[in-house]
Amino acid sequence: MQKFDSSMMDFEERVDIDDFESEVMERIYSKPLLIKRVNTTSQIAIVGANVCPVESLDYEVPENELVNEDWRSRRTVQIFQYILLKWAFALIIGLSTGLVGVFNNIAVENIAGFKLLLTTELMLKHKYYKAFAAYAGCNLGLATSAAALCAFIAPAAAGSGIPEVKAYLNGVDAYSILASSTLFVKIFGSIFGVAAGFVVGKEGPMVHTGSCIASLIGQGGSRKYHLTWRWLRYFKNDRDRRDLITCGAAAGVAAAFRAPVGGVLFALEEAASWWRSALLWRTFFTTAVVAIVLRGFIQLCSTGTCGLFGEGGLIMYDISAAKVVYSTPDILAVILLGVIGGILGSLYNYLVDKVLRTYSIINERGAAVKILLVIMISLLTSICSYGLPWLATCIPCPADASTSCPNTDVSGNYKSFQCPPGHYNDLASLFLNTNDDAIRNLLSTNTVKEFHISSLFIFFVAVYCLGIITYGIAIPSGLFIPVILAGSCYGRLVGRLFEPISKLDVGLFSLLGAASFLGGTMRMTVSLCVILLELTNDLLMLPLVMLVLLISKTMGDMFNKGVYDQIVKLKGLPYMEAHPEPYMKHLIARDVVTGPLITFSGVEKVGNILLALKNTGHNGFPVIDEPPFSDAPELCGLVLRSQLLVLLKGKAFSKDRVLAGNKVLRKISELDFAKAGSGKGLKLEDLDIQEEEWDMYVDLHPIANTSPYTVVETMSLAKAAVLFRELGLRHMCVVPKSQGRPPIVGILTRHDFQPEHILGLYPHVRFQQW
Amino acid sequence: MQKFDSSMMDFEERVDIDDFESEVMERIYSKPLLIKRVNTTSQIAIVGANVCPVESLDYEVPENELVNEDWRSRRTVQIFQYILLKWAFALIIGLSTGLVGVFNNIAVENIAGFKLLLTTELMLKHKYYKAFAAYAGCNLGLATSAAALCAFIAPAAAGSGIPEVKAYLNGVDAYSILASSTLFVKIFGSIFGVAAGFVVGKEGPMVHTGSCIASLIGQGGSRKYHLTWRWLRYFKNDRDRRDLITCGAAAGVAAAFRAPVGGVLFALEEAASWWRSALLWRTFFTTAVVAIVLRGFIQLCSTGTCGLFGEGGLIMYDISAAKVVYSTPDILAVILLGVIGGILGSLYNYLVDKVLRTYSIINERGAAVKILLVIMISLLTSICSYGLPWLATCIPCPADASTSCPNTDVSGNYKSFQCPPGHYNDLASLFLNTNDDAIRNLLSTNTVKEFHISSLFIFFVAVYCLGIITYGIAIPSGLFIPVILAGSCYGRLVGRLFEPISKLDVGLFSLLGAASFLGGTMRMTVSLCVILLELTNDLLMLPLVMLVLLISKTMGDMFNKGVYDQIVKLKGLPYMEAHPEPYMKHLIARDVVTGPLITFSGVEKVGNILLALKNTGHNGFPVIDEPPFSDAPELCGLVLRSQLLVLLKGKAFSKDRVLAGNKVLRKISELDFAKAGSGKGLKLEDLDIQEEEWDMYVDLHPIANTSPYTVVETMSLAKAAVLFRELGLRHMCVVPKSQGRPPIVGILTRHDFQPEHILGLYPHVRFQQW
């Protein structure tokens, strides 16, 4: 331990990074800091190919005089207000996410509808080159808009957003991931991207959108625009904001898939790292609001006032018309489907990972290169969508077709493309459609021979490859729809192959194929099951869907991790796994404590605090009480950087080294300590400390968290990690085991538990698996 | 702190109870112990009106030399085996629970079918008194059998079982709640009870059955019958057993409602206190197996080989035939339904609580009184079921009835009862049916006028009251079915009243009524929603079901707790709530540490250990290293009573006070420390320690858990409670803040966090709400 003192400052050895403030510092002071441990920790995240700082979140409830005073001063009315507000916020999140979902849907359907109508009309006039030009031109325009938004306004909006939300709910806030600019770009970028005919979905972006909305609502009034309400301070902490964002993520899935229960389960199974039943209920309420908003708009739009929106009703891909009968050969086919689906799913993950790594290098070269990449992929997609249908032979329309064939409106099962009247092109019915309609066609039941096996194969290969190369370009892009598209096509293909011995409808095979791919890539179980149920409204398929999900997840897990986990890792976000690594059992907490520790006295010199804040990246500082304030040195609490900044700004200084008592409480209220939006808090440069104040004292007792969680230095690292993870800590104090030593050994943060850090210090433990 | 020494023994002041071993001790030694704190803690539970001891469970992973050695010695094959076994066990649990569910179903349908057929036949011959005699006689016989099983073999099998399972998963093992006798009685008692026409369900008992099966499988081989396999020891700990029981509870719901996803969510939302995504998956697998078993048997029985079973298919109450259309008046009606449902639900809870308290006094008087109570309730039920239909007027059969009217088989919508041909008695169709069929009738759609409003009212009042007075008698009795029965009747009643202005089918109103009652009593959200969905197969009702559940839960929560929480509290089980009480913020950990602490030296005298084990009820003992083994006294770990007993049994003693090193490891293996079934572990009386061995020494280092979780004495009690709850601890060491004091202040257990204990010590904090 090293007591902080300006005279002892040694710039060579001083710095120990635990959070992104060091990065911020670096920019503020424009002088390079010597970062010792930078290679062993992973505090730098790659978001949209930009290197961005991350901030750990703190879910610990601080307990100090100030907080207690604050609670005491609240009247019952205020507490009631607080509870009411929680629900009001959930309501607002549900409403807004639902509205965005509807808006997104209407916009995509109408833009894509216009584009497809234009192409179809030109095709009917046999102006094939013009049709391609119109089609590719529209796609290119939309794609470029989406890419420009992403590249210039909010690079963090690129990609799915689910990995970042997942990391946030685990306690890692990547820079600007939930900012309002990100929200804006996510909404419009997603609309343009999906309308541009890319093999991307709107589901991931909707989850991100829901989370952004929740985060903005959670920040409440903006200080910048002087819109701060006193009651909003209740939510100005990481804990409440995490709850809101969980609700937002669930609302996003609910709005994207029209699956309220699936949304809750998605948030629970995939997104959230902590959960409690009160939150379950609030999330459920949020998604119920989304469902009601969606249903209201679908009813409103059923008269045709919203263009193409609202035809599907609450069930997006209804397959309940098919009769569910299956016997042994079907079950064998389903098992095979699951096995291959799992393998192809994990291959998908592997390839996405490789492509992402390549793209992140390309994207680093600047906005123009980013946009160029998008343009290239867009052209490729257009060529595939327009070119490949020429390979298909025209199929005569079935006599018993329930819809007109070839159909004249933009969606539908039977596209005429280049075919003569009374015939349709099955590949065009898949390629020259919105993704939603393509899935609907693939899932259509009682239409066994609708698609040629060769067409299904071509479409499968094309979608599989396009899906992989599209994720990672600078547009908001969900992974669900590509996977469902490829999976349902693959399922239908298998269904066709097994047709001679199978009783099951090919449409149902298609659903099982989608399930197997989803299981193989996303590795979720219950939530996927419920989402698929809510998408297709066929409860009798449940046993088979469960079976196929179990098999494909098992297969996939043999090869690699789920796609979101992979991306979290790739982005370098310091994610805390629920289970500690086996080798952590062989280390103790003290082993990973590194770097000199900086502590403060209970009543500390202003100058010392300023220097420590300026010269280190630490976020938490232990406060040690020493004589005369205690008999022997003892740990009296933990202060945070943000608290110190507020305290210094408040200037509750005294000339002598004495306890301040109530004086601090009168100058500063709990409200001042409310956590600001990410990156918006008080900064060191905002302080205005005079030279003569440097030698004054400030009492840290009122703001120090008096009950920090501690572990004894000999606690096994595995158990310390469990404590850290389960309680959602940001700092954990390591205390000495034996007496007669300074009262604190060090502080552990999230980074100290990262495998990179531990294995950097102790490379040999990697092989100690048990 | 008081070092344990036989010379210091003071029988007046010694005893501090923290677990049920003191109770066991009391029986073994047959001499009363002076229990000081017994009134402030709640270590005695009332199970089936018997006062029974409870045991806390320990979910902490112990870390000591022995465990480490054990892990090191395991080869990869063994570890693979371990993982495989987990899944194998989940498979077995799913299979067995599914089979029990099928057996239960077939048995109930056939026994009740026979009874109803007999009654109907006698009715058709106008032998009304004989019919009543036959009906009441059958009921009485079945009821008495169920009660006798409960009263004489396993009193713990009475009631729902869900509260006890919930408590187990929270870390409280009530005596014999998961024993094999309980399982046996639960299965057969439930069959007899349901067949006896009681207003009880098989759902709660199925959950309990699933948990019992899981527990028995988890205990694996029985030592008693010399059926222990070496690999089963992996599961011989509370943590693995908890996981298995979670799977079992989910499988129970899945088997009872044929709702696999609902089962997972029930286990997640209501039953389990800890959760992680790996467990979610395993639970999902278990319920998938249950679904497959059920489906297989339904297909097998569809030919009629199983009597009356298997008619319903996988969907128990299919209402998907009804068209879901609703507008503003319907939504208002639904809101009203939710509000009144919530109020009636909480009233139900209140009355159940009162009745349970009364019954527990009655049931204390012995087995005969228990059976007498069951007989009385059975007679009352028979009189109601047979007598009340006479109040109904005969209704002419509808012309467009889809089934024959009056129907001749035992189930069906139209019972002729006393009515002339071509007429039916609507009340008899509800009363003289199995509960399942009654619900199916109430939920039947497109049959608006089938039931008179007056009949619905009579049935509602009767079922509501019978449900309340039946729960608590000595038979296995689920709460779901009574609540669904009353709720769906109430919903249909409201539907009939709103018929003039409503578009919604009365059958759908009935579903919403059931949802409102379930929400009002059980206070679950997502799981109920999914269970109702899986029961009725009508996804389009989802928004309305969500709405009604939210409203009724909110209303109910204003008045009291959920019914299971109430019963847990009533039974005195020390349940750890997820959130600490507000007043805990005002106390620190040291405040609730009571009683003299007993510690051991790292190398302790055998006699001291024996005396401590004999004379206290403590379960965990801190081990303090003292010179010469360390420089100053320091906490080196925590040993458990069970570990000490094994160590003493192994007799790894030495004459001198020296470290034993590997000697202990050679004599005792980790296998010996495997946790036995509840109440089956090694007991003090099993030891055979010679007089001369009393003065020998034993080294506690190899078995002491070297990484116990600790809190500093000044940690706020609220935060200590969060730590205790989140990590699933049984013991938490409180260490001193300042130096120069003994290294441990005390041990906190589950009982120390119970409101009764805290408020017993500090009555004034009750009013410090914030």
Side-chain angles (χ1 to χ4, degrees):
Chain A
M1 197 195 65
Q2 181 182 343
K3 189 74 178 46
F4 191 86
D5 187 343
S6 56
S7 63
M8 282 167 68
M9 290 284 296
D10 177 353
F11 271 80
E12 298 294 303
E13 274 196 23
R14 185 175 19 79
V15 182
D16 168 32
I17 303 282
D18 67 357
D19 271 317
F20 93 109
E21 282 83 356
S22 72
E23 192 72 14
V24 178
M25 291 297 124
E26 206 163 339
R27 293 196 208 138
I28 296 167
Y29 294 104
S30 300
K31 56 180 174 186
L33 288 172
L34 266 160
I35 299 170
K36 262 181 78 183
R37 263 172 53 205
V38 73
N39 293 326
T40 57
T41 60
S42 57
Q43 70 275 40
I44 307 298
I46 303 157
V47 179
N50 284 1
V51 175
C52 284
V54 297
E55 186 189 354
S56 298
L57 303 174
D58 200 348
Y59 298 142
E60 192 180 346
V61 181
E63 294 202 337
N64 57 40
E65 286 174 36
L66 217 59
V67 174
N68 289 346
E69 184 59 39
D70 185 56
W71 274 110
R72 266 194 293 275
S73 69
R74 291 189 194 183
R75 277 164 301 149
T76 318
V77 178
Q78 279 179 308
I79 288 151
F80 187 70
Q81 209 179 30
Y82 169 58
I83 293 164
L84 211 69
L85 264 179
K86 276 192 177 178
W87 288 92
F89 276 20
L91 179 75
I92 297 170
I93 293 169
L95 279 177
S96 350
T97 313
L99 287 175
V100 170
V102 170
F103 172 70
N104 184 315
N105 239 313
I106 293 178
V108 167
E109 296 269 346
N110 285 303
I111 296 174
F114 170 80
K115 179 187 78 179
L116 293 171
L117 209 62
L118 189 70
T119 316
T120 312
E121 272 172 12
L122 288 167
M123 289 292 296
L124 285 176
K125 294 176 193 156
H126 303 286
K127 295 175 177 170
Y128 297 128
Y129 289 106
K130 264 196 182 170
F132 175 69
Y135 180 71
C138 285
N139 282 351
L140 206 61
L142 290 165
T144 316
S145 319
L149 282 174
C150 260
F152 293 116
I153 301 180
S160 157
I162 292 177
E164 288 87 354
V165 172
K166 197 176 164 170
Y168 185 95
L169 293 176
N170 188 267
V172 189
D173 187 10
Y175 182 70
S176 87
I177 201 69
L178 296 173
S180 44
S181 58
T182 310
L183 172 62
F184 172 80
V185 171
K186 204 85 195 188
I187 294 174
F188 289 95
S190 169
I191 290 171
F192 294 154
V194 174
F198 281 120
V199 185
V200 297
K202 59 176 190 292
E203 284 65 24
M206 273 308 299
V207 170
H208 194 171
T209 304
S211 308
C212 284
I213 290 173
S215 168
L216 288 176
I217 288 171
Q219 280 174 38
S222 155
R223 280 197 197 196
K224 199 167 154 192
Y225 305 109
H226 299 288
L227 288 167
T228 322
W229 289 279
R230 198 175 153 73
W231 40 264
L232 278 177
R233 69 187 166 133
Y234 296 139
F235 295 96
K236 288 265 181 187
N237 62 65
D238 288 333
R239 181 173 272 263
D240 283 329
R241 215 168 278 171
R242 173 188 69 183
D243 291 354
L244 290 176
I245 287 169
T246 310
C247 289
V253 174
F257 288 120
R258 304 179 195 167
V261 178
V264 174
L265 292 177
F266 174 83
L268 168 65
E269 188 177 357
E270 184 63 27
S273 295
W274 290 277
W275 200 263
R276 50 181 211 280
S277 90
L279 187 56
L280 188 70
W281 189 30
R282 195 131 53 93
T283 314
F284 186 70
F285 173 72
T286 316
T287 60
V289 172
V290 172
I292 289 163
V293 169
L294 287 180
R295 203 188 168 283
F297 270 89
I298 285 167
Q299 197 150 36
L300 206 73
C301 292
S302 59
T303 52
T305 43
C306 324
L308 291 160
F309 172 74
E311 282 174 47
L314 262 188
I315 311 297
M316 284 173 79
Y317 317 120
D318 200 335
I319 57 162
S320 56
K323 221 175 158 206
V324 179
V325 275
Y326 48 92
S327 53
T328 322
D330 299 282
I331 290 173
L332 292 177
V334 166
I335 290 171
L336 184 76
L337 202 73
V339 171
I340 300 179
I343 295 170
L344 286 174
S346 62
L347 181 68
Y348 195 91
N349 289 4
Y350 174 79
L351 294 174
V352 161
D353 189 64
K354 286 277 163 280
V355 168
L356 265 181
R357 282 175 197 276
T358 316
Y359 282 179
S360 74
I361 297 166
I362 299 175
N363 285 340
E364 265 171 27
R365 304 199 174 180
V369 179
K370 275 188 191 176
I371 295 174
L372 201 68
L373 184 64
V374 172
I375 288 172
M376 278 172 58
I377 301 290
S378 171
L379 282 177
L380 187 65
T381 308
S382 297
I383 291 167
C384 280
S385 317
Y386 191 85
L388 290 175
W390 294 95
L391 299 177
T393 48
C394 294
I395 303 174
C397 281
D400 57 346
S402 51
T403 54
S404 64
C405 172
N407 53 316
T408 44
D409 57 350
V410 286
S411 62
N413 283 13
Y414 306 106
K415 285 264 176 188
S416 91
F417 203 62
Q418 93 291 16
C419 292
H423 289 68
Y424 71 97
N425 183 321
D426 58 348
L427 257 180
S429 306
L430 296 174
F431 272 121
L432 287 178
N433 241 334
T434 58
N435 293 334
D436 273 4
D437 281 322
I439 294 173
R440 204 167 286 131
N441 288 347
L442 284 169
L443 287 174
S444 70
T445 49
N446 302 321
T447 50
V448 182
K449 306 265 179 200
E450 189 182 333
F451 299 101
H452 265 303
I453 292 183
S454 59
S455 303
L456 287 172
F457 185 74
I458 294 171
F459 186 69
F460 170 65
V461 173
V463 164
Y464 191 84
C465 299
L466 283 175
I468 289 165
I469 59 166
T470 308
Y471 190 81
I473 62 173
I475 57 165
S477 46
L479 275 168
F480 265 99
I481 289 292
V483 170
I484 293 178
L485 211 49
S488 57
C489 185
Y490 150 76
R492 204 173 174 102
L493 194 61
V494 173
R496 283 300 295 277
L497 297 176
F498 273 85
E499 204 203 315
I501 54 163
S502 158
K503 284 185 193 164
L504 211 58
D505 194 287
V506 285
L508 303 182
F509 261 106
S510 200
L511 167 67
L512 294 172
S516 78
F517 253 50
L518 285 170
T521 51
M522 314 267 168
R523 314 285 161 81
M524 293 178 265
T525 51
V526 188
S527 48
L528 280 180
C529 204
V530 173
I531 288 174
L532 285 173
L533 201 70
E534 291 190 305
L535 279 176
T536 58
N537 191 19
D538 202 343
L539 204 68
L540 292 171
M541 285 296 284
L542 190 60
L544 288 185
V545 171
M546 289 175 93
L547 185 70
V548 92
L549 276 175
L550 283 167
I551 294 170
S552 63
K553 180 174 154 67
T554 314
M555 285 308 296
D557 278 342
M558 287 184 189
F559 298 107
N560 49 25
K561 281 186 163 190
V563 68
Y564 296 129
D565 289 318
Q566 248 184 18
I567 298 173
V568 166
K569 213 178 145 115
L570 179 72
K571 294 209 166 191
L573 299 169
Y575 191 86
M576 283 293 287
E577 298 287 345
H579 287 281
E581 298 287 334
Y583 55 74
M584 289 192 186
K585 280 188 191 167
H586 301 278
L587 298 170
I588 58 172
R590 186 180 49 204
D591 290 340
V592 295
V593 171
T594 47
L597 176 74
I598 291 166
T599 61
F600 293 130
S601 287
V603 182
E604 183 60 273
K605 261 196 185 165
V606 173
N608 284 351
I609 295 174
L610 275 176
L611 273 173
L613 292 180
K614 191 170 170 181
N615 293 319
T616 75
H618 291 242
N619 187 275
F621 301 89
V623 178
I624 310 282
D625 256 343
E626 283 166 342
F629 302 113
S630 68
D631 297 334
E634 59 183 42
L635 178 65
C636 99
L638 189 81
V639 286
L640 305 180
R641 172 177 286 267
S642 56
Q643 292 177 322
L644 288 171
L645 288 170
V646 173
L647 193 69
L648 293 180
K649 178 107 181 162
K651 296 203 174 188
F653 305 147
S654 64
K655 279 235 150 29
D656 305 307
R657 200 172 170 217
V658 288
L659 293 174
N662 277 335
K663 229 170 66 185
V664 177
L665 298 181
R666 260 178 270 133
K667 283 211 179 181
I668 303 167
S669 83
E670 167 64 11
L671 177 57
D672 298 313
F673 290 102
K675 173 148 185 178
S678 78
K680 280 182 194 155
L682 209 56
K683 288 184 186 65
L684 197 50
E685 55 186 352
D686 301 333
L687 296 185
D688 177 32
I689 307 288
Q690 305 302 317
E691 194 72 46
E692 66 268 22
E693 288 170 327
W694 276 57
D695 283 329
M696 293 176 84
Y697 288 92
V698 60
D699 185 6
L700 300 178
H701 290 99
I703 61 160
N705 179 4
T706 50
S707 298
Y709 286 107
T710 57
V711 290
V712 179
E713 54 181 346
T714 53
M715 167 73 92
S716 94
L717 192 60
K719 289 180 83 169
V722 169
L723 174 64
F724 192 90
R725 168 66 166 70
E726 292 293 321
L727 300 181
L729 305 184
R730 182 171 181 175
H731 308 98
M732 187 159 71
C733 301
V734 181
V735 295
K737 182 170 186 171
S738 53
Q739 304 201 332
R741 289 168 50 197
I744 185 156
V745 173
I747 284 189
L748 291 182
T749 66
R750 170 177 293 272
H751 296 289
D752 298 314
F753 292 107
Q754 294 301 311
E756 298 81 26
H757 174 220
I758 298 170
L759 295 175
L761 292 169
Y762 304 97
H764 63 283
V765 296
R766 183 192 295 272
F767 307 106
Q768 298 198 354
Q769 286 299 311
W770 301 102
Chain B
M1 198 192 67
Q2 180 184 343
K3 188 74 178 44
F4 191 86
D5 187 343
S6 56
S7 63
M8 281 167 66
M9 290 284 296
D10 177 352
F11 270 80
E12 298 294 305
E13 275 196 21
R14 186 177 17 81
V15 182
D16 168 31
I17 303 280
D18 68 356
D19 271 316
F20 94 110
E21 283 84 355
S22 70
E23 192 73 14
V24 178
M25 292 296 125
E26 206 164 340
R27 291 196 210 140
I28 297 167
Y29 294 102
S30 299
K31 56 180 175 186
L33 287 171
L34 265 161
I35 298 170
K36 262 182 78 183
R37 263 171 55 205
V38 72
N39 293 326
T40 58
T41 61
S42 56
Q43 69 274 39
I44 307 298
I46 303 158
V47 178
N50 284 3
V51 175
C52 284
V54 298
E55 186 190 353
S56 298
L57 304 173
D58 200 349
Y59 298 141
E60 192 179 346
V61 181
E63 295 203 335
N64 56 42
E65 286 175 35
L66 215 59
V67 173
N68 289 346
E69 183 59 39
D70 185 57
W71 274 110
R72 266 194 294 274
S73 70
R74 292 188 193 184
R75 277 165 302 147
T76 318
V77 178
Q78 278 179 309
I79 287 150
F80 186 69
Q81 209 180 30
Y82 170 57
I83 293 163
L84 210 71
L85 263 180
K86 275 192 177 177
W87 289 92
F89 276 19
L91 177 75
I92 296 169
I93 293 169
L95 278 178
S96 349
T97 312
L99 287 175
V100 170
V102 169
F103 172 68
N104 185 315
N105 238 313
I106 293 178
V108 166
E109 296 269 344
N110 284 304
I111 297 174
F114 170 79
K115 179 186 81 180
L116 293 171
L117 209 63
L118 189 71
T119 316
T120 312
E121 272 173 12
L122 288 168
M123 289 292 295
L124 284 176
K125 293 176 195 156
H126 302 286
K127 295 175 179 172
Y128 297 129
Y129 289 106
K130 264 195 181 170
F132 176 69
Y135 180 71
C138 286
N139 282 350
L140 206 62
L142 291 165
T144 315
S145 319
L149 283 174
C150 260
F152 294 116
I153 301 180
S160 156
I162 293 177
E164 286 87 353
V165 172
K166 197 176 163 169
Y168 185 95
L169 294 175
N170 188 267
V172 189
D173 187 9
Y175 182 70
S176 87
I177 201 68
L178 296 173
S180 44
S181 58
T182 310
L183 172 62
F184 172 79
V185 172
K186 204 86 196 188
I187 294 175
F188 288 94
S190 169
I191 290 171
F192 294 154
V194 174
F198 281 121
V199 184
V200 298
K202 60 176 188 293
E203 285 65 24
M206 273 307 299
V207 171
H208 194 170
T209 302
S211 309
C212 284
I213 291 173
S215 168
L216 288 176
I217 289 171
Q219 279 174 39
S222 155
R223 280 196 194 194
K224 201 167 152 192
Y225 305 107
H226 298 286
L227 288 167
T228 322
W229 289 279
R230 197 175 153 74
W231 40 264
L232 277 178
R233 68 188 166 131
Y234 297 138
F235 296 96
K236 289 265 181 186
N237 62 65
D238 288 333
R239 181 173 270 265
D240 283 327
R241 214 168 279 170
R242 173 188 69 182
D243 292 353
L244 289 176
I245 286 168
T246 309
C247 289
V253 173
F257 288 121
R258 304 180 194 168
V261 178
V264 174
L265 291 177
F266 173 84
L268 168 65
E269 188 177 357
E270 184 63 25
S273 294
W274 290 278
W275 200 262
R276 50 181 211 279
S277 91
L279 187 55
L280 189 70
W281 190 29
R282 196 132 51 93
T283 313
F284 185 70
F285 172 72
T286 316
T287 60
V289 173
V290 172
I292 288 163
V293 169
L294 287 180
R295 202 188 169 281
F297 270 89
I298 285 168
Q299 197 149 37
L300 206 73
C301 292
S302 60
T303 50
T305 42
C306 324
L308 291 159
F309 172 74
E311 283 173 45
L314 262 188
I315 312 297
M316 284 174 78
Y317 318 118
D318 200 334
I319 56 163
S320 57
K323 223 177 156 206
V324 179
V325 275
Y326 48 92
S327 54
T328 322
D330 298 282
I331 290 172
L332 292 177
V334 166
I335 292 172
L336 184 75
L337 203 72
V339 171
I340 300 178
I343 294 171
L344 285 174
S346 61
L347 181 67
Y348 196 90
N349 289 4
Y350 174 79
L351 293 173
V352 161
D353 190 64
K354 287 278 163 278
V355 168
L356 265 180
R357 282 174 197 276
T358 316
Y359 282 179
S360 74
I361 297 167
I362 297 174
N363 284 342
E364 265 171 26
R365 304 199 174 181
V369 180
K370 274 187 191 177
I371 295 174
L372 202 68
L373 183 65
V374 173
I375 289 173
M376 278 171 60
I377 302 289
S378 172
L379 281 177
L380 187 65
T381 308
S382 296
I383 292 168
C384 281
S385 316
Y386 191 85
L388 290 175
W390 293 94
L391 299 177
T393 47
C394 293
I395 304 175
C397 281
D400 58 344
S402 50
T403 53
S404 65
C405 172
N407 53 315
T408 44
D409 56 350
V410 286
S411 62
N413 283 12
Y414 305 107
K415 286 264 175 188
S416 90
F417 204 61
Q418 92 291 15
C419 292
H423 288 68
Y424 71 97
N425 183 320
D426 58 348
L427 256 181
S429 307
L430 297 174
F431 272 120
L432 288 178
N433 241 334
T434 59
N435 293 333
D436 273 4
D437 281 322
I439 294 174
R440 204 168 285 131
N441 288 348
L442 284 169
L443 287 174
S444 70
T445 50
N446 302 321
T447 50
V448 182
K449 306 268 179 199
E450 189 182 333
F451 299 100
H452 265 302
I453 292 182
S454 59
S455 302
L456 288 172
F457 185 74
I458 292 171
F459 186 69
F460 170 65
V461 173
V463 164
Y464 191 84
C465 297
L466 283 175
I468 290 166
I469 59 166
T470 308
Y471 190 81
I473 62 174
I475 56 165
S477 46
L479 275 168
F480 265 100
I481 290 292
V483 169
I484 293 179
L485 211 50
S488 57
C489 186
Y490 150 77
R492 203 173 175 102
L493 194 61
V494 173
R496 283 298 297 276
L497 297 176
F498 273 86
E499 204 202 317
I501 53 163
S502 158
K503 285 184 192 165
L504 211 58
D505 194 287
V506 285
L508 303 181
F509 261 107
S510 199
L511 168 67
L512 294 172
S516 78
F517 252 51
L518 285 170
T521 50
M522 316 266 168
R523 314 286 162 81
M524 292 178 265
T525 52
V526 188
S527 48
L528 281 180
C529 204
V530 173
I531 288 174
L532 286 174
L533 201 70
E534 291 190 305
L535 279 177
T536 59
N537 190 20
D538 201 343
L539 204 68
L540 292 171
M541 285 296 285
L542 189 60
L544 288 185
V545 171
M546 289 177 93
L547 185 70
V548 91
L549 276 175
L550 283 168
I551 294 170
S552 63
K553 179 174 154 67
T554 315
M555 284 308 296
D557 278 343
M558 286 185 191
F559 299 106
N560 49 25
K561 280 187 165 190
V563 67
Y564 297 128
D565 290 317
Q566 247 184 19
I567 297 173
V568 166
K569 213 179 144 112
L570 178 71
K571 295 209 167 193
L573 299 168
Y575 191 87
M576 281 293 288
E577 298 287 346
H579 286 281
E581 299 286 334
Y583 55 74
M584 290 192 185
K585 280 188 191 167
H586 301 279
L587 297 171
I588 58 172
R590 186 181 49 204
D591 290 339
V592 295
V593 172
T594 47
L597 176 75
I598 291 165
T599 61
F600 293 131
S601 286
V603 182
E604 183 60 273
K605 260 195 185 164
V606 174
N608 283 351
I609 296 175
L610 275 176
L611 273 174
L613 291 180
K614 191 170 169 181
N615 293 318
T616 74
H618 290 240
N619 187 276
F621 301 89
V623 178
I624 310 282
D625 256 344
E626 283 167 343
F629 301 114
S630 68
D631 297 333
E634 59 183 41
L635 177 66
C636 100
L638 188 81
V639 285
L640 305 181
R641 171 178 287 268
S642 56
Q643 292 176 322
L644 288 171
L645 288 170
V646 173
L647 192 69
L648 293 180
K649 178 109 181 160
K651 296 202 175 189
F653 305 148
S654 66
K655 279 235 151 28
D656 304 307
R657 198 170 172 219
V658 290
L659 293 176
N662 277 336
K663 228 171 66 186
V664 176
L665 298 182
R666 260 177 273 132
K667 283 212 178 180
I668 303 168
S669 82
E670 166 65 10
L671 177 58
D672 298 311
F673 290 102
K675 173 149 183 176
S678 76
K680 280 181 194 155
L682 208 56
K683 288 185 186 64
L684 196 50
E685 55 186 351
D686 302 333
L687 297 184
D688 176 32
I689 307 288
Q690 305 302 318
E691 193 73 45
E692 67 268 22
E693 289 171 326
W694 276 57
D695 283 328
M696 292 176 84
Y697 287 91
V698 60
D699 184 5
L700 300 179
H701 290 99
I703 61 159
N705 180 3
T706 50
S707 298
Y709 286 106
T710 56
V711 291
V712 179
E713 54 181 345
T714 54
M715 167 74 90
S716 93
L717 192 60
K719 289 180 83 170
V722 169
L723 173 64
F724 192 91
R725 169 66 166 69
E726 293 292 323
L727 300 181
L729 306 184
R730 183 171 181 175
H731 308 99
M732 188 159 70
C733 301
V734 181
V735 295
K737 181 170 188 170
S738 52
Q739 304 200 333
R741 288 168 50 197
I744 186 156
V745 173
I747 285 189
L748 291 182
T749 67
R750 173 177 291 272
H751 296 288
D752 297 314
F753 292 107
Q754 294 300 311
E756 298 81 26
H757 175 221
I758 298 170
L759 295 176
L761 292 169
Y762 304 96
H764 63 281
V765 296
R766 183 193 295 270
F767 308 106
Q768 297 200 356
Q769 286 299 312
W770 301 101

